Structures are given as C-alpha cells and as structure tokens.
C-alpha cells in the first residue's frame, strides 16, 4: 500500500494526495493498492510545481488495524516532532494519530520511494 | 543576427547585435567572426586572425585564464562558460582578466546565465551576457542596480562602502 | 557593539526587497523550485520536514536587547513561540511559511538583522568568541575583525558560488571558544615579538564526513594584511576546490590533497599578486573598532558584598556562580552564561517569553549586550557582581537558571530527524534522556567538565566529532542507531574523537553514557577531566565496560 505526499509550496506544510487535491491529514489521504494508479497520481502531482514541492510516494504498513507510513521519517512528517507533542499534526489527536504514534516494527528511516534528500 | 545583452559604460544595458558565431570543436568554420575553444585557438588562431577575422575564445571553468595572457591583445572576446549557474569559477576568471591582465575586450557570460547572477557578473567585469532565462536588458539592469551599496572593491568602478563612508 | 549606519541599513533593506521579488516569481511559476532553492538558501530559508526553516544570522553571536525582542516577536507571530539557537551562533525558526518569509526579512532589516548567507555555497556567518570584549584573556577584540569580515563577505561578487559552504572562526583568547581549528578558516589573533597584531591562519579544518583538525598555513599574518590574504585563500579554493563530488568539495579536501605546505605556497603566490590593494584601509578598521569601544565600565571593588552575602544564603545561587559565571576583565563585573539546557527541554531552544526576559536583563543589568555561544547557550557578558542575585532570580523565574554550563547535561544537539530533511536519526530526545540521567546536580558537578555532542547525521551540525563524548545517529536497516566516539575536542586542544565500537540502539544510549561516566569516575586521577582520563587510559576500559553491559 502506498500514499502520495509532498510539502505545500506556500507554507511548507506536509500534505497528502486525495482525489486530485491535497489534504493535510494523513488519515484523509488516498491509499493506493494499485502501483499503476499510484504512479499516475504522482505524475499528475509533479505537474503542479506552483502548488507543491517534490511530491513522492511512500510505503505504508498496517498498525492497529489502520495504515501508517512504513518509515520513521514519514511518521514524523505525518505527526510532528517527537520533542514537542503539541506541535504539528499530532496535536489534533484521534484514532489515526494514535495508530501512527504506536506504529512499530521495521521502520525504514528513509521511507520514501526513490529517496533524494533535500535542503 | 543573434542578440546579446550588453553593458554600456554608463552602466545601462541594451540589446546588441552579436556578430560572432560560436563554433564547437567538431563543427566546420563558417565565414566571419567566430568564438572557438582555447584548444582550437591554439591550433587555428593564427590563421584565422591572418584572414582578418575577429576571434573570440571560449574558456571552460577548468581552463586557466593565465594560459590566455600572451594572446589577449589579439582576442576580441573571452567567453567564460557557466556549465551550471552554481559553478563560480568564471567569476574569478573575469576578475583576473580585468584586474590582473587589464583586458579591455569583451568578457561574455555564456551557458547557464541567469538574471540572479547579473549583479555578481557585472561586478567581476563581464560586459556581455547571453541569458538562458530569457531575461531582457530591463531585467538585467533591475538586478544589477538592486543594491545601492557594495562592500568590496571589484572589477567594476563601484565605490565600496568603506570609501563611501569616508566621503560621507 | 557595532551600529549599522545608513549604508548597512540600506544594504539589508535592498536584500529583503530582492527576496520579496524572488518569492513572487517563484509563486507565479516564473522560477522553478531548483532555481529558487539556491536563492532561498542564500537567504537562509530551507524546506524541512514540517515547514520551512529560516536561519537568521547573528553575526559573531552578538545582539542587543532590541534585536532579541524582535526575534521573540517573530517567534510569536510567525512561528510557535520559540526559536532554536544553533552551533553556529545563529537562530533558527522551524515553522516558517514561505508567504511570511519576506515580511520576516523586512522585520529583521528594521533592527539591523538579516539571513544573508546563512546557507548556500558562500561565506557563512563568522563565528567568534562569545566573551569578546569581556574576557581578560583576549589580545584584541575579535568582533572588530568579525564585523569587517561580515561586510567584506556580504554578496561578495567573486565568492558567492564556491564549491561548497565556507565557515570562518576568529578567536583572540588562548581558550578557544569558537572551535577555530575545525573551521574552513580559523583565525587566532597573535601578538608578534614587536607587539604587532597578527593572525595565525589555520585552513582546512572541518567536521562532516571527513573530519580534520586544520593545519596552520601562516604562523603570523600581519593584521592589516588580512583581507588580501583571505582573498588569496578563497581564490585558490574557488578555482581548485572540487566541484564533481559534494562530499569532497570543502576546502579541507583540497588542503589535504595538496598538502598544507603546497596549499600555503599557492596562497602565498596568489597573495603576492593581489598585494595591499586587497586590504581594508586602516580608517575603516578604526571606524569599526570605534563602534566596539563604547562600553563604559564603572570603577568597582573586586568583590561584591551583596553578591557574597546572597551566595552564602542561597546554595542554588552558589551553584549557579560556580558553574555559570566567568571572570570579567573589569573588577566587580562578571560574565554570566545562561544555559539553554534545562533538563528535559530541547537543547538550544528559547521561548519568545524567555527571549524577552533576556532582553530585559541585558538592558537593565548587562550594557544592552547579549551573546550566543556555539555550544547553544546565551551570555550576558557584562553584569555587575552586585546585580547577579537579581539576574539569577529573574532567570529562575523564567526557567533559565540551570547551573550546568560545561557539565554533562550541557549537551549540544542538532535538530535531527524531528525536523531536519537531511537527518537519519533523532538527536534531541537522546540529549533529553542523557540530561535526565544526570539530573542530579551534585553528581553532575562531581563529574565536572564533560562535553557531549550529538548529530543526527554525518553532516555533523551537532559537532559530534569534537565531543568529549560524541554521538552520531545512523540509520541501520531502518532503525535509529547511535555511534559513540570518545576523546574529541573543539577547543584549543582540538582533536577528532575515536570510535568506541559498534553502534547502539536508541534506548541503550543513555545507559551507555552512564557506564562511560562510571569508568571515568573509577579511573580518574586528581584534577582530571573526562577528556584527560580518556587521553591517559585510551579507549580500552571504556569499551570493555560499555560492550560488557550490552551483552
């Protein structure tokens, strides 16, 4: 399972792809079962250079019956920094956030497909 | 005839004609004024100059400007290449041409030449620009004149802050 | 301190206006992200994991109350009410929006601040001694030279597209508080036999993937020839530094490849061609020097009865005095270090409210002068001993009275994977766990000076190579592991630490540090710091204990 993510150009916020638009919560993101559909969405996203920066697909894993990013880095992006629980998306709480917080196991700290680190 | 942005003595920028043809090493030589690589200049420069043509030399960043010193009086244009705009070696080459070798011919910026570099280039002594981003002479002038003050002496005639202050 | 004149003010205002245009061109799509990235980085704006990060220059770590208040205001208005002081004496805001960045630069320009060249392959903010102008150790005021370099390097026409970033440090005291030997250029002010001022010039130190303690290429450069010499170094580097491999592009690689002697020869040859024309006129240096000479001190007795009485009555103040005060050059004054390493908090973070308190204290008790240290603390460099009890009380009230400067809980940590797009592992929570392990202040004092430095990746923003104990976060098959090094130092006795052994998992690091400390306490001779004991015994007893525990 995959999701499509990026940072929004205007404010840098972490966003996820949902039916051709960008949403702020991982819990609202489209989940791609079909790699072809995922890549098609990524292609569409890349044609929006004034909306988002550097869209990319991430791998997901199951956690507490819900989906969570496989990598630790992507979980931190979907949640917020671990040193400030009140900062970032985790502040909102809820079921999906809980599942992300408890996601455990073989996290790859770079979980993005085709990782290119950026400044 | 193709055009170039040229800097004039009054620090204004205009679109000017470019009489030179840039010729790659594996291309045949057209008639008229040409810009060729340093290697080709070494092999064919004498002959071309004897034909009465104006000849320019294109220097890649790794080529040392000192190697040109002896020939500078015969060279009409030194085209300094920016294979990437992040490659800053040509700034040094331009300054040395102007300040160390007192080269009075044209110093042209070619390659990935973007308006954001304009201010740096002019300060280092470039006076002709082949922008890769479609910038107009107005864009160029705007970028060059954006900063009212400079802190260093360079190859242009701008007064550095420490001199400005003495006057103030 | 230095005051901007109209030239300086217009310069930063022009720069802010330029960036506003560049942002508009990016938003309209005229500039691609790739083109814009270089421009935003040259104004200190990164894209990190959660938002943009803006790195604001605090030149040579020096600022006044008005500037600190403006930083507090920016933190409150555009960030989440705090900021992060860095190992290069700068301030980072971690929750910045691109649309706000031009307004923030305008706000900074209003108080003579900027974010120019806090990133990018250019000459970065100059690091200097946070005790400058206050310590009796110094031969000259290094801020004079730092400020002159700040100006000289700002939008330098020739050196703004170097092979890689370029960092200069200047110190004038034998106790090096700038990590000069691990900078691209380290300048150590020296006095010649005839009394003339000069610099020992160290080039090609650095951390990152390939750490080096830099070699000296000039034992004594006459001070008035500094700028032509810098130009020569930068020119040799700009022409010959590698551009084909980002990991080999720093000047340290060039110096190591050529050898220090050959590099020095090439610099000397270029320097001779540049000549004195490349130097800054003495009049300009005198003008800058004048700006730093305005601090006026009262004639005071060397000891303060008020202070001594308060200290005797309050053990907490006595502890603060032991660990956070440093001798001042003038009798009756002291240098106050304000620790940003409150146990359990993020190293280097200060809230906007705390910044306001520091600004008030500086204005009221500290000659309107504040410094940032490369160890991520703040300094009030000129406080009367009489005022220390009051300053301490106000620091206590705002949660900034930790008496742990140079102790084991005074940990340097980069932002790590909690924020940074380059990181492999977290650094902050590791620092928090270690600090909590040594929360007992008596134990921390008994351990004495011990510098722990943590980086979340090999880029080494947390200076792990030069920690007495260094900790490097690595990614081992997707999990956070930490590589320990021992015996590093960023001070005058600079050294790169040696690897202890295999990397440890996240939850074993604090316990391993505890074990290292126990070995030190067992092995140490009278008067030895952790570093001294390590240097005497070597790595073996430490290694044995840590990996015996790990099994």
């Amino acid at each position: 399972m995959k999701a499509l993510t990026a940072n929004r150009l205007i404010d840098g916020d972490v966003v996820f792809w949902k039916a051709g638009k960008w949403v702020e919560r991982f819990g609202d993101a489209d989940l791609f079962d079909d790699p072809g559909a995922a890549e098609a969405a990524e292609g569409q996203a890349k044609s929006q250079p004034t909306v988002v920066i550097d869209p990319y697909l991430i791998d997901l894993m199951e956690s507490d019956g819900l989906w969570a990013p496989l990598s630790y880095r992507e979980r931190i992006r979907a949640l917020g920094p671990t040193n400030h629980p009140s900062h970032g998306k985790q502040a909102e709480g809820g079921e999906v956030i809980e599942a992300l917080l408890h996601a455990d196991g073989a996290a790859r700290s770079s979980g993005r497909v085709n990782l290119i680190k950026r400044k | 005839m193709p055009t170039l942005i040229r800097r004039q003595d009054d620090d204004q920028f205009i679109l000017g004609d470019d009489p030179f043809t840039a010729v790659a090493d594996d291309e045949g030589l057209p008639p008229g004024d040409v810009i060729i690589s340093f290697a080709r200049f070494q092999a064919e420069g004498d002959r071309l100059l004897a034909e009465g043509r104006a000849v320019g030399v294109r220097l890649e960043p790794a080529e040392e400007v000192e190697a040109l010193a002896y020939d500078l009086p015969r060279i009409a244009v030194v085209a300094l290449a920016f294979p990437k705009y992040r490659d800053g070696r040509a700034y040094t080459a331009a300054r040395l041409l102007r300040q160390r070798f007192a080269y009075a011919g044209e110093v042209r910026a070619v390659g990935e030449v973007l308006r954001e570099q304009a201010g740096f280039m002019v300060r280092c002594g470039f006076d002709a620009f082949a922008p890769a981003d479609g910038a107009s002479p107005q864009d160029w002038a705007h970028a060059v004149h954006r900063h009212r003050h400079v802190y260093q002496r360079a190859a242009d005639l701008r007064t550095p802050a420490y001199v400005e202050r003495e006057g103030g | 301190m230095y005051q901007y004149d109209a030239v300086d003010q217009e310069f930063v205002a022009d720069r802010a206006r330029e960036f506003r245009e560049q942002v508009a061109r990016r938003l309209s799509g005229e500039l691609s992200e790739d083109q814009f990235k270089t421009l935003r980085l040259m104004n200190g704006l990164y894209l990190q994991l959660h938002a943009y990060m803006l790195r604001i220059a605090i030149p040579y770590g020096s600022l006044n109350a008005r500037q600190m208040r403006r930083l507090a205001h920016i933190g409150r208005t555009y960030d989440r009410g705090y900021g992060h002081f860095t190992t290069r004496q700068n301030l980072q805001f971690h929750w910045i929006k691109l649309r706000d960045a031009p307004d923030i630069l305008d706000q900074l320009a209003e108080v003579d601040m900027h974010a120019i060249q806090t990133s990018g392959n250019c000459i970065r903010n100059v690091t200097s001694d946070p005790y400058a102008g206050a310590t009796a150790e110094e031969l000259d005021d290094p801020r004079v030279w730092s400020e002159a370099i700040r100006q000289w390097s700002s939008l330098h026409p020739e050196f703004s597209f170097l092979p890689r970033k370029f960092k200069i440090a200047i110190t004038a005291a034998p106790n090096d508080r700038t990590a000069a030997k691990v900078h691209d250029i380290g300048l150590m002010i020296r006095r010649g036999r005839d009394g003339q001022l000069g610099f020992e010039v160290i080039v090609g130190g650095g951390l990152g993937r390939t750490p080096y303690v830099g070699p000296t290429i000039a034992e004594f450069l006459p001070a008035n020839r500094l700028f032509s010499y810098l130009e020569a170094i930068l020119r040799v580097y700009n022409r010959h530094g590698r551009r084909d491999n980002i990991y080999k592009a720093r000047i340290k690689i060039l110096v190591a490849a050529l050898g220090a002697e050959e590099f020095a020869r090439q610099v000397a040859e270029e320097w001779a061609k540049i000549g004195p024309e490349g130097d800054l006129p003495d009049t300009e240096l005198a003008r800058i020097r004048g700006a730093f000479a305005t601090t006026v001190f009262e004639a005071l007795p060397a000891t303060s009865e008020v202070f001594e009485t308060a200290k005797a009555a309050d053990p907490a103040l006595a502890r603060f005095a032991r660990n956070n005060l440093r001798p001042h050059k003038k009798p009756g004054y002291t240098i106050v270090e304000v620790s940003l390493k409150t146990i359990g908090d993020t190293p280097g973070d200060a809230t906007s409210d705390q910044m306001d308190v520091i600004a008030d204290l500086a204005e009221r008790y500290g000659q309107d002068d504040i410094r940032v240290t490369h160890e991520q603390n703040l300094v009030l460099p000129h406080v009367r001993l009489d005022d220390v009890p009051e300053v301490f009380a106000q620091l206590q009230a705002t949660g900034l009275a930790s008496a742990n400067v140079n102790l084991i809980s005074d940990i340097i940590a980069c932002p790590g994977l909690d924020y940074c797009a380059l990181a492999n592992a977290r650094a902050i929570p590791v620092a928090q766990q270690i600090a909590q392990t040594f929360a007992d202040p008596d134990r921390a004092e008994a351990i004495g000076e011990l510098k722990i430095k943590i980086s979340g990746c090999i880029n080494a923003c947390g200076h792990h190579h030069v920690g007495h104990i260094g900790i490097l976060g690595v990614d081992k098959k997707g999990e956070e592991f930490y590589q320990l090094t021992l015996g590093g130092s960023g001070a005058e006795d600079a050294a790169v630490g040696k690897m202890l052994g295999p990397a440890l998992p996240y939850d074993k690091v604090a316990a391993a540090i505890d074990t290292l400390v126990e070995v030190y306490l067992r092995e140490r001779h009278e008067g030895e710091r952790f570093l001294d004991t390590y240097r005497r015994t070597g790595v073996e007893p430490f290694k044995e204990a840590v990996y015996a525990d790990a099994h």
Side-chain angles (χ1 to χ4, degrees), chain B residues 33-34 48 61 125 131 144 162 164:
Chain B
D33 301 342
V34 290
L48 296 172
V144 169
Y162 55 83
E164 228 185 310

Side-chain angles (χ1 to χ4, degrees), chain A residues 58-78:
Chain A
I58 55 171
D59 286 322
L60 308 181
M61 60 179 273
E62 247 187 299
S63 169
D64 297 349
L66 293 167
W67 289 99
L70 176 65
S71 82
Y72 199 77
R73 178 183 195 268
E74 290 305 325
R75 275 184 234 149
I76 286 178
R77 283 183 77 245

Side-chain angles (χ1 to χ4, degrees), chain B residues 32-92:
Chain B
D33 301 342
V34 290
I35 295 177
I36 53 181
S37 71
F38 180 52
R40 194 162 186 175
F41 178 79
Q42 285 177 306
E44 302 177 50
D46 287 342
R47 176 173 63 78
L48 296 172
L49 288 163
E51 289 170 15
R53 307 182 191 223
V55 179
V57 174
R58 175 185 164 109
L59 272 196
E60 300 303 324
E63 293 177 319
E64 305 228 321
V65 71
E66 283 83 352
L68 268 187
Y70 175 78
D71 291 308
L72 281 175
R74 313 193 290 160
I75 296 173
V77 174
V78 179
L80 297 174
F82 289 84
K84 291 199 174 101
Y85 72 93
R86 293 189 200 89
D87 190 330
R89 285 175 283 185
Y91 295 102
T92 292

Side-chain angles (χ1 to χ4, degrees), chain C residues 99-351:
Chain C
R99 64 162 168 266
D100 293 333
D103 290 343
I104 297 172
L105 292 191
D106 284 347
Q107 295 230 5
L108 290 171
E110 280 173 19
V111 296
D112 305 345
M113 295 187 85
H114 60 75
I116 298 170
Q117 291 168 212
T118 55
S119 179
N121 294 337
C122 48
I123 302 168
R124 305 284 190 90
N125 186 23
V126 180
T127 302
S128 190
D129 188 348
Y131 299 171
T135 176
E137 293 170 6
E138 69 191 14
L139 294 172
D140 188 28
D141 191 332
R143 294 173 299 171
V144 175
W145 304 99
S146 307
E147 174 59 27
I149 292 175
R150 183 191 75 79
Q151 297 187 22
W152 168 80
S153 63
S154 291
L155 299 188
H156 196 289
E158 186 180 345
F159 304 133
S160 289
F161 299 91
L162 296 167
R164 200 76 179 86
K165 57 189 168 185
F166 203 91
K167 300 173 180 177
I168 302 175
I170 308 182
T171 178
N175 289 312
D176 178 14
R177 286 169 286 263
T178 68
K181 293 182 179 177
V182 290
H183 275 71
D184 295 284
I185 296 179
L187 298 170
M188 296 184 147
I189 296 182
R190 302 273 183 250
R191 208 172 271 288
R193 249 174 258 151
D194 55 356
Q196 196 197 6
L197 267 189
F199 296 96
E200 179 182 344
V201 183
I202 295 158
V203 180
L207 300 173
R209 200 165 291 247
T210 338
Y212 285 107
V213 172
T216 296
I217 67 159
E219 294 284 352
F220 188 84
L221 172 74
N224 62 353
R225 299 301 316 279
L226 177 65
F227 286 88
S228 54
Y229 199 78
L230 290 178
E231 185 173 322
I233 294 172
L234 267 298
R235 185 167 292 149
V236 170
Y237 172 54
N238 191 42
R239 299 183 86 178
H240 302 300
R242 284 182 65 172
R243 291 175 187 264
D244 59 330
N245 180 340
I246 186 175
Y247 301 118
K248 298 190 171 173
R250 294 288 288 270
I251 196 172
K252 62 190 174 186
I253 303 293
L254 178 65
V255 174
L258 291 174
E261 214 168 295
E262 170 59 16
F263 180 80
R265 192 196 61 75
Q266 293 190 14
V267 169
E269 191 177 287
E270 177 60 32
W271 187 45
K273 289 178 187 157
I274 295 169
E277 205 177 300
D279 290 311
L280 208 54
D282 291 343
T283 47
E284 176 66 1
L285 287 168
R287 184 189 74 89
I288 295 173
R289 185 174 292 280
F292 290 106
T294 53
T295 314
V296 179
F297 298 102
E298 297 167 52
L300 296 172
T303 50
S304 152
E305 208 147 306
V306 179
F307 175 54
E308 293 303 326
T309 310
K311 212 163 53 167
D314 180 2
L317 175 60
R319 189 189 299 279
F320 182 83
R322 281 196 301 275
N323 294 300
N324 294 39
L325 301 188
R326 300 286 178 268
H328 195 280
K329 64 182 179 184
K330 294 290 178 191
Y333 285 85
T334 185
I335 299 169
V336 178
E337 282 237 15
V338 179
S339 166
L340 297 181
K341 312 297 173 61
T342 306
I343 308 282
D345 284 356
T346 301
D349 275 13
T351 65

Side-chain angles (χ1 to χ4, degrees), chain C residues 216-534:
Chain C
T216 296
I217 67 159
E219 294 284 352
F220 188 84
L221 172 74
N224 62 353
R225 299 301 316 279
L226 177 65
F227 286 88
S228 54
Y229 199 78
L230 290 178
E231 185 173 322
I233 294 172
L234 267 298
R235 185 167 292 149
V236 170
Y237 172 54
N238 191 42
R239 299 183 86 178
H240 302 300
R242 284 182 65 172
R243 291 175 187 264
D244 59 330
N245 180 340
I246 186 175
Y247 301 118
K248 298 190 171 173
R250 294 288 288 270
I251 196 172
K252 62 190 174 186
I253 303 293
L254 178 65
V255 174
L258 291 174
E261 214 168 295
E262 170 59 16
F263 180 80
R265 192 196 61 75
Q266 293 190 14
V267 169
E269 191 177 287
E270 177 60 32
W271 187 45
K273 289 178 187 157
I274 295 169
E277 205 177 300
D279 290 311
L280 208 54
D282 291 343
T283 47
E284 176 66 1
L285 287 168
R287 184 189 74 89
I288 295 173
R289 185 174 292 280
F292 290 106
T294 53
T295 314
V296 179
F297 298 102
E298 297 167 52
L300 296 172
T303 50
S304 152
E305 208 147 306
V306 179
F307 175 54
E308 293 303 326
T309 310
K311 212 163 53 167
D314 180 2
L317 175 60
R319 189 189 299 279
F320 182 83
R322 281 196 301 275
N323 294 300
N324 294 39
L325 301 188
R326 300 286 178 268
H328 195 280
K329 64 182 179 184
K330 294 290 178 191
Y333 285 85
T334 185
I335 299 169
V336 178
E337 282 237 15
V338 179
S339 166
L340 297 181
K341 312 297 173 61
T342 306
I343 308 282
D345 284 356
T346 301
D349 275 13
T351 65
S352 290
D353 292 347
Q354 289 173 331
M355 291 186 222
D356 279 339
V357 171
I358 295 290
D360 291 345
L361 291 174
E363 216 160 48
R364 192 139 174 224
Y365 305 107
Q367 305 245 24
D368 197 19
D369 202 340
I370 304 161
R371 310 290 172 77
V372 183
T373 76
H374 87 272
E375 294 181 320
Q376 299 181 286
N377 292 319
L378 299 177
V379 171
L380 296 169
H382 313 293
V383 176
R384 298 190 319 171
L385 286 170
D386 286 353
D387 295 330
V388 169
E390 186 53 36
V391 168
F392 177 66
Q394 294 195 30
L395 288 174
Q396 270 183 317
T398 194
L400 287 180
S402 295
N404 62 351
V405 172
N406 280 344
L407 300 183
I408 189 164
S409 52
D410 184 5
I411 299 169
I412 288 185
C414 72
L417 187 58
D418 282 305
Y419 299 89
C420 178
L422 300 170
N424 288 322
R426 288 173 295 165
I428 294 166
V430 175
Q432 289 170 320
Q433 285 173 22
I434 296 169
Q436 253 137 10
T437 305
F438 297 94
D440 173 359
D442 290 327
R443 186 170 176 226
E445 274 195 273
I447 296 163
E449 181 187 310
L450 207 172
K451 303 201 176 206
I452 297 180
K453 307 190 189 221
I454 310 175
S455 307
C457 80
I458 193 65
N459 291 311
C461 297
H463 293 185
H464 64 276
H465 296 298
V466 292
H468 298 176
I469 300 174
I471 303 175
L472 166 66
V474 294
D475 173 0
K476 233 178 163 180
K477 293 189 184 140
E479 286 185 71
E480 293 170 301
F481 270 72
Y482 295 85
Q483 189 73 257
L484 269 49
T485 52
L486 297 186
S489 169
E492 58 284 355
D493 56 353
V496 172
K498 296 244 174 3
M499 197 107 78
L500 181 69
L504 303 168
Y506 176 74
D507 53 4
K508 297 272 194 263
V509 177
I513 304 301
D514 203 19
T515 303
L516 291 172
V517 168
E518 286 306 321
V519 173
Y520 155 64
L521 293 175
R522 186 187 77 212
E523 299 285 332
R524 77 170 162 190
H525 293 173
E526 181 71 28
E528 276 184 346
R529 303 170 300 165
F530 177 91
L531 182 62
D532 304 321
T533 301
Y534 166 83

